[in-house]
Amino acid sequence: MQWSCVFSSSSSWPLCVVVCACAAVAAVVAVPVAVVSPPSFRSANLSTTALLSADRYGKTVLAGDEMAVAVQEYADCAVFRVQARTRGYVALGFVDPIAAHSVDVLLFWVDDETGVGHLLDMHGKTDTGLTPEKDVSQDYELLASSQNGSHVSAVFRRAWDTCDEHDDVVFGNDTMRMFWTTSDRDPIDRQYTDALKLGSSWKGSQSFHPRGPKFRPNTDYYKKWDVTMDNMHLKDNIDTLYWCKIFRAPKINMKNHIVGFVPLLHADTQSLIHHMILYECDGGPDSMEKYVTLKGAQCYGNAMPEDWNKCVSPVVTWAMGSDGQFLPDHIGVPIDGRDKYYMLEVHYDNPTFRKVMDNSGVRVFYTGHLRANDAGIMAVGMAVSPMHIVPPRQSTYRTVSLCDKDCTNVIFPERGIKITSVLLHAHLASRQLKLRHVRHDQEMATIAQDGRYDYNYQQARELVKEVTVYPGDELITECVYNTEDRPQLTHGGYSTKQEMCLAFVTYYPRTPLASCFSMTPVPFFFETFGVQQFLDYNMEGVEKIFLKLADSTTKKPPVHAPATHVALPAFDDAKTLDELNQAHISYLMKQPSFTIEDDNEPNLFKDLEIMEPVEFQNKTFQQHLDNLPWEDGLLTRNIENRLNNGKHMTFCRLHNDTLALMMNTYAFPNFTAYREPFNDACVALSNKFQNTALTVQSSYLLILLSTALICIH
């Protein structure tokens, strides 16, 4: 049974609230080690003391000095534990990111005179001027509460789906955003209530995953290895930088298992860290030891030693908003201190051009008590390339990538691999991500998905039930974007203003596979937009350029820095075709960025001038893309469908930085789509909950909702 809770490390008194979300069918965990499915809340038979105990909750939503929240999943509901540094009221607001006009508000306080806890279920809508109202159906149940001289605590529960479709949000598998605020008074004084309505606001917010397990063991028994940057100086003229540093593995004489990690961040630079990945290197002391004392180098740039390109197998993957990850008890990522080296990659996103020094990294936990299975991490998704495009002014635009059946057939063992968790990764325009699974032209159940993706909360999703992927199965990574606020085309790239569509998959048993990516074949891509030939570049030469860019798709991120002019190679009939192509490849690879963010900044498509057809002459390919009538829904959907359902070139890449198979082009598989089980079950708990808060006058209800809604908007 997995517990979730939020608590404050600064106080011995919690404000705890327990909420239950109900489902028609209890989740079942199918793993080699027996796992108990979440019980119903009533069957847990917990005392008030147990409910208020922090160790009963497995998933921390918020852990701060002023406010702490945790949530525990049950088969029929979610239970929240809240503690806050106040003797007044506490307000929580739950917002569906897609339907953000509606706020599901909970108001809680303990009466200073009687010591009785009160809880109100409220709501607000922007189209009514954020006027708070008490829900007709009170769907939160107060389970326990307490208050001392400085803190208030409570536990409450709520059904996953309360049947109150007008006033309550549904708690499911997608990311949920929670707002919170506190007051130093109970909502009793009418004059104070009026003041709150006029000027109050939310004090903070936090995204979280309401459902799904989250393994969080006691780390006291594990060994620790801190992998951090060494006073890395971030300059004030670069907004996107990938920095790499080599590390020697801890001094251990035999195989150990990595069992988890937590990020090591600093308050002054935390907001600048987009992601961190620790790669295992395919190289021993002869090639790697000399780099250990270096402070690092720009990743995959000219200054990075060639030996570092052999560091391609991820063992730790962290992205912003995550508090780390721990593996189930039956798997561990192997680590051997004998002649093993690792590379830490940190992506700095510095849009305000701050000049800072950073020592961020990760704390890796490992043990000599080996687990039953060696685990691995592989990356699947879209090869990072300018050909990954998202049109402007789109409410929804979908892209897909393919990990083909030939790759899985060659690499995966006969009994298949078992996936235990997935980290879905994209950038600012992404709204929905999904990792799909196809077997013999039949789509299986979705492995992982988030219909309300939050760029600022990229926590790995630990699966309730492990998914087996057999040789010959195919994996499809799908992303849906919203660019309604973008007047220009968005390209794939490494800057956060560009886009990605990736999934980092933790699985066992470990295989030699490091990544499985795809991209649109170059000729097929340009044919989609009606382009037949470029000036000074034949299509074969253009294809070579893009294949070099995609050769290491999690690599070669250029520095996003002020542009420097590079002379374009002159066309010379005396040169051989291959020499000419290589000259242009060299030229284009020197460009500082491939982002389309500044008209003065060079990018690949601006250097491709169209020669055929005649009607497109005297335009660069970027100008051609910019001039397309993307507001024409039929045109945009046709392009979307052709790129998604047409041809895909795949890359099946091994730990030693070689391809298991030659690059090949596949038609997107034709399969019967999986139909999610229809579950219309909801639980109206109003008639079951005995809630003392129901007797409170409705005028008091306005306090919390006003506060929550005004802050959100």
Side-chain angles (χ1 to χ4, degrees), residues 6 139 145 171 189 282 352 367 369 435 472 483 584 630 669 677 687:
V6 176
D139 295 305
S145 64
F171 284 8
D189 185 332
D282 185 49
T352 58
T367 178
H369 298 285
L435 181 60
T483 57
H584 282 88
W630 294 108
N687 297 328

Side-chain angles (χ1 to χ4, degrees), residues 536-555:
D536 291 352
Y537 297 83
N538 73 334
M539 197 60 73
E540 180 184 354
V542 173
E543 184 172 27
K544 287 184 179 181
I545 295 171
F546 279 100
L547 291 182
K548 280 184 175 288
L549 292 177
D551 179 56
S552 181
T553 190
T554 57
K555 305 198 172 293

Side-chain angles (χ1 to χ4, degrees), residues 284-321:
D286 291 343
S287 61
M288 302 303 294
E289 178 64 27
K290 58 189 174 184
Y291 303 119
V292 172
T293 58
L294 299 181
K295 287 185 176 291
Q298 179 195 330
C299 301
Y300 325 117
N302 294 332
M304 191 185 87
E306 183 65 26
D307 294 328
W308 298 18
N309 285 319
K310 298 293 184 180
C311 306
V312 299
S313 302
V315 296
V316 166
T317 56
W318 176 91
M320 61 191 308

Side-chain angles (χ1 to χ4, degrees), residues 482-554:
N482 181 296
T483 57
E484 289 178 300
D485 60 345
R486 298 191 178 193
Q488 294 180 310
L489 198 75
T490 299
H491 290 258
Y494 296 90
S495 166
T496 55
K497 294 183 179 66
Q498 298 170 314
E499 271 308 329
M500 290 185 175
C501 185
L502 301 172
F504 292 93
V505 177
T506 302
Y507 69 96
Y508 71 94
R510 195 184 194 208
T511 73
L513 187 63
S515 61
C516 186
F517 294 105
S518 76
M519 62 181 284
T520 304
V522 175
F524 183 79
F525 175 79
F526 290 113
E527 288 169 7
T528 299
F529 296 98
V531 175
Q532 302 166 5
Q533 183 64 50
F534 293 105
L535 183 67
D536 291 352
Y537 297 83
N538 73 334
M539 197 60 73
E540 180 184 354
V542 173
E543 184 172 27
K544 287 184 179 181
I545 295 171
F546 279 100
L547 291 182
K548 280 184 175 288
L549 292 177
D551 179 56
S552 181
T553 190
T554 57

Side-chain angles (χ1 to χ4, degrees), residues 1 3 32 52 85 246 282 286 290 324 336 339 383 417-418 424 546 578 588:
M1 178 178 65
W3 284 85
L52 290 171
R85 192 177 63 225
I246 299 296
D282 185 49
D286 291 343
K290 58 189 174 184
D336 192 335
D339 303 337
I417 63 167
K418 295 184 180 295
L424 300 170
F546 279 100
D578 187 63
L588 291 168

Side-chain angles (χ1 to χ4, degrees), residues 189-328:
D189 185 332
R190 284 184 178 274
Q191 182 178 356
Y192 188 67
T193 299
D194 293 339
L196 278 178
K197 288 171 63 178
L198 291 174
S200 137
S201 62
W202 298 110
K203 292 184 177 180
S205 65
Q206 177 63 50
S207 293
F208 68 103
H209 297 152
R211 308 201 73 160
K214 187 174 183 180
F215 306 106
R216 186 63 62 171
N218 186 338
T219 59
D220 294 342
Y221 306 103
Y222 298 135
K223 292 174 278 189
K224 303 173 184 178
W225 177 33
D226 288 355
V227 184
T228 64
M229 290 298 169
D230 181 13
N231 293 333
M232 205 292 294
H233 291 272
L234 188 60
K235 298 180 180 180
D236 58 4
N237 65 341
I238 295 175
D239 75 350
T240 294
L241 175 67
Y242 283 64
W243 193 259
C244 289
K245 178 172 169 51
I246 299 296
F247 296 84
R248 186 192 307 112
K251 292 183 178 180
I252 50 180
N253 296 321
M254 60 185 65
K255 176 182 173 181
N256 278 234
H257 270 151
I258 294 174
V259 298
F261 75 95
V262 294
L264 297 176
L265 303 170
H266 301 275
D268 57 338
T269 58
Q270 180 174 350
S271 62
L272 306 180
I273 313 299
H274 173 264
H275 76 247
M276 298 183 288
I277 302 177
L278 184 64
Y279 294 98
E280 180 181 335
C281 302
D282 185 49
D286 291 343
S287 61
M288 302 303 294
E289 178 64 27
K290 58 189 174 184
Y291 303 119
V292 172
T293 58
L294 299 181
K295 287 185 176 291
Q298 179 195 330
C299 301
Y300 325 117
N302 294 332
M304 191 185 87
E306 183 65 26
D307 294 328
W308 298 18
N309 285 319
K310 298 293 184 180
C311 306
V312 299
S313 302
V315 296
V316 166
T317 56
W318 176 91
M320 61 191 308
S322 169
D323 60 1
Q325 182 184 3
F326 285 85
L327 303 179

